[in-house]
Amino acid sequence: MENLIALLVAAPLLGAAVLLVGGRRLDRAGHWLGTLLAAASFVIGLVLFASLLGKDAEHRTLVQHLWTWVPVESFRADVAFRLDQLSVTFVLLITGVGTLIHLYSVGYMAHDERRRRFFGYLNLFLAAMLILVLADNYLLLYVGWEGVGLASYLLIGFWQHKPSAATAAKKAFLVNRVGDIGLSIAIMLMFTTFGTFAFGPVLTSAGDASEGRLTAIALMLLLAACGKSAQVPLQSWLGDAMEGPTPVSALIHAATMVTAGVYLIVRSAAIFNGAPDAQVAVTVVGAVTLLFGAIVGCAKDDIKKALAGSTMSQIGYMVLAAGLGPIGYVFAIMHLVTHGFFKAGLFLGAGSVMHGMNDEVDMRKFGGLRKYMPVTFVTFGLGYLAIIGFPFLSGFYSKDAIIEAAFAKGGTQGWILGSVTLLGAAITAFYMTRVMLMTFFGERRWQPDADGHDPHPHESPTTMTIPMIVLAIGSVGAGFFFHLGDRFVHWLEPVTGHSEGDSPVGVSVITAATLVCLVVGVGIAWAMYGRRAVPAVAPRGSLLTRAARRDLLQDDFNHVVLVRGGEHLTRSLVYVDHTLVDGVVNGTAAGFGGMSGRLRRVQNGFVRSYAVSMFGGAALLVAATLLMRAV
């Protein structure tokens, strides 16, 4: 069975090559070819998953070695794939949700002249992400990591004729390069510490390394995760990435790019377990980002940017859980998978709304759309209920498990983290209810666009609604399925490990507190947006609201500290170069030039000058001789 692993990557990689090189002859059928190859990869993933189920828990690891990439003495890099419980979970999420997004894109991009190229980029995105999660060593993972960065750049900037899209693509690419530096340094440290960067030897030998070295490696891995998963302080690219087509947003937020950082931390569990200070840093990053994204989501009127803030916050939950160690690794991945269902459904629902509203994204110009788009309303509504943790839907099981794990950390840290996760749950219920009310309830508020076209809301075509329905089913039932008999915990435990922790608060009390937070968040949103008419123009709001509309001033901070700071540093270096370096060089040259000019006057070719020089020299010699005798 291990011989099939490479086919997981080969199918979408073939699609990308054919669609990007094949030319216009594939314009009519290229989108179906890309979708078919994504689906083929999903089917292969199901076959491999079934084969793992037939093995004992301790023997569910398959490795396929393809070739030796770099054989240089002790430096050996192999192109080899590793399929185990963790990687196959990501494979099914990436290819399953990815295939649904491909199908959705057939309808969404139907009138785009460059649709074939778009599907080629989608296939490339899947292939790169599959390399990342299937790699058997960190160097090959880095190849997939960079491939994901390239594909995201191409897709975010797909409509590069819009300056905002081109700028957003460059921003995402550059911010992620900062995180990539962290991953490259971590790989170098691994090689100098363990003599290899293969998962098996590195993770097995992690306990033998010093805590300081493990902390350094773990912090660099965290920096990498912050870039790909849009965590503080490298979160500024995610909101701007909404400039890409909506299927791209769904793919990035649900199944590919932002999940990569969580995968990296959980895959490197043995390293983080030996670096408690780094684990604290992970939980702090997750907790801060959890609240950061939630607050930003509360103030956005752009439906996609509100969902982007939500993604940032939900990934913060996962990163926080991963920082809890064996208490939270499993639940970080569980929430990642359930989030893949409901967040993909929410983004595709947002795209469906835009499709029926002449690409309008301002929720203040929606209202009452449930009457015109019933399928979109129901599927989006189920995703909304799942993400806020409505009882017995997917988010109720996965997010509540993270809240319980946070309290189970124990001590002051457990109380702080637990309180943060509860506060995040309340804010999530608020901003998602706000999105739901402003979009589907109340009176119609839409107006003719800039060209005078009056929107005519209508349901999306079947190719778009079928993926939304499938994802809604996952939003409803996936969490219960995973929770039943703790099957998800038992599935991942051999790879990630698991411990129950020691919670000072009972599970029933935490569940009750979570439901209270949910009701409070929904109630406040209903009082503000359900009982009142939504104004066409956003009121000025409080200082916090105005800051949240500007992403809590993250771009302003980057501009002042990094851009302006970089400009001042550059000017300082230029000044030092011109005054000190050039001054020394030019001064030395001028000194020798002046000296040469003066010496040149002595050798002027006039006999009388030479005679005077000889006479002067003789006179000096005579005077010196007489002086010596007198002494």
Side-chain angles (χ1 to χ4, degrees), residues 327-600:
I327 302 173
Y329 289 136
V330 171
F331 301 127
I333 302 302
M334 181 176 173
H335 191 52
L336 185 150
V337 176
T338 59
H339 177 266
F341 284 109
F342 53 71
K343 185 51 63 68
L346 289 169
F347 265 110
L348 297 190
S352 181
V353 170
M354 293 168 58
H355 182 268
M357 293 292 291
N358 294 346
D359 290 328
E360 180 61 66
V361 295
D362 187 351
M363 294 185 292
R364 295 185 181 275
K365 298 179 181 178
F366 293 162
L369 292 180
R370 70 185 188 281
K371 305 173 184 177
Y372 305 91
M373 311 178 71
V375 176
T376 301
F377 167 64
V378 172
T379 55
F380 192 98
L382 290 173
Y384 151 72
L385 292 175
I387 194 173
I388 68 173
F390 191 83
F392 311 117
L393 272 68
S394 290
F396 172 76
Y397 294 103
S398 59
K399 188 162 64 176
D400 279 25
I402 293 177
I403 297 173
E404 293 166 10
F407 279 105
K409 185 67 175 177
T412 304
Q413 185 179 352
W415 280 105
I416 293 174
L417 295 177
S419 300
V420 168
T421 55
L422 284 176
L423 178 59
I427 302 175
T428 300
F430 170 80
Y431 70 72
M432 284 307 305
T433 303
R434 175 179 180 268
V435 170
M436 197 73 187
L437 293 173
M438 291 179 70
T439 303
F440 295 102
F441 292 87
E443 299 297 324
R444 56 167 286 179
R445 299 184 299 276
W446 57 86
Q447 301 292 332
D449 60 20
D451 298 324
H453 299 143
D454 193 17
H456 297 285
H458 58 278
E459 192 55 85
S460 299
T462 305
T463 53
M464 295 173 64
T465 56
I466 288 177
M468 291 158 56
I469 293 171
V470 174
L471 290 168
I473 294 172
S475 300
V476 171
F480 176 76
F481 177 78
F482 294 154
H483 173 76
L484 190 62
D486 287 333
R487 61 181 62 189
F488 199 83
V489 172
H490 297 320
W491 170 252
L492 280 184
E493 187 175 5
V495 178
T496 63
H498 180 66
S499 64
E500 295 296 332
D502 186 18
S503 177
V505 184
V507 173
S508 58
V509 175
I510 294 175
T511 301
T514 305
L515 292 177
V516 168
C517 290
L518 185 154
V519 172
V520 170
V522 171
I524 295 174
W526 171 256
M528 294 179 64
Y529 298 95
R531 298 179 59 185
R532 307 174 187 172
V534 177
V537 179
R540 190 166 184 266
S542 65
L543 180 62
L544 178 60
T545 300
R546 297 198 301 273
R549 287 176 186 151
R550 298 183 56 158
D551 300 329
L552 293 180
L553 308 180
Q554 56 182 335
D555 285 330
D556 301 81
F557 175 83
N558 290 341
H559 186 75
V560 171
V561 176
L562 301 178
V563 177
R564 290 279 182 85
E567 290 175 351
H568 290 310
L569 177 61
T570 302
R571 292 194 186 105
S572 300
L573 293 175
V574 170
Y575 176 79
V576 170
D577 181 60
H578 286 172
T579 57
L580 181 61
V581 179
D582 287 354
V584 171
V585 174
N586 295 336
T588 303
F592 277 98
M595 187 185 305
S596 300
R598 291 177 175 81
L599 290 175
R600 186 170 60 248

Side-chain angles (χ1 to χ4, degrees), residues 27-42:
D27 282 356
R28 291 187 176 182
H31 49 287
W32 289 115
L33 175 62
T35 304
L36 179 64
L37 288 171
S41 186
F42 176 61

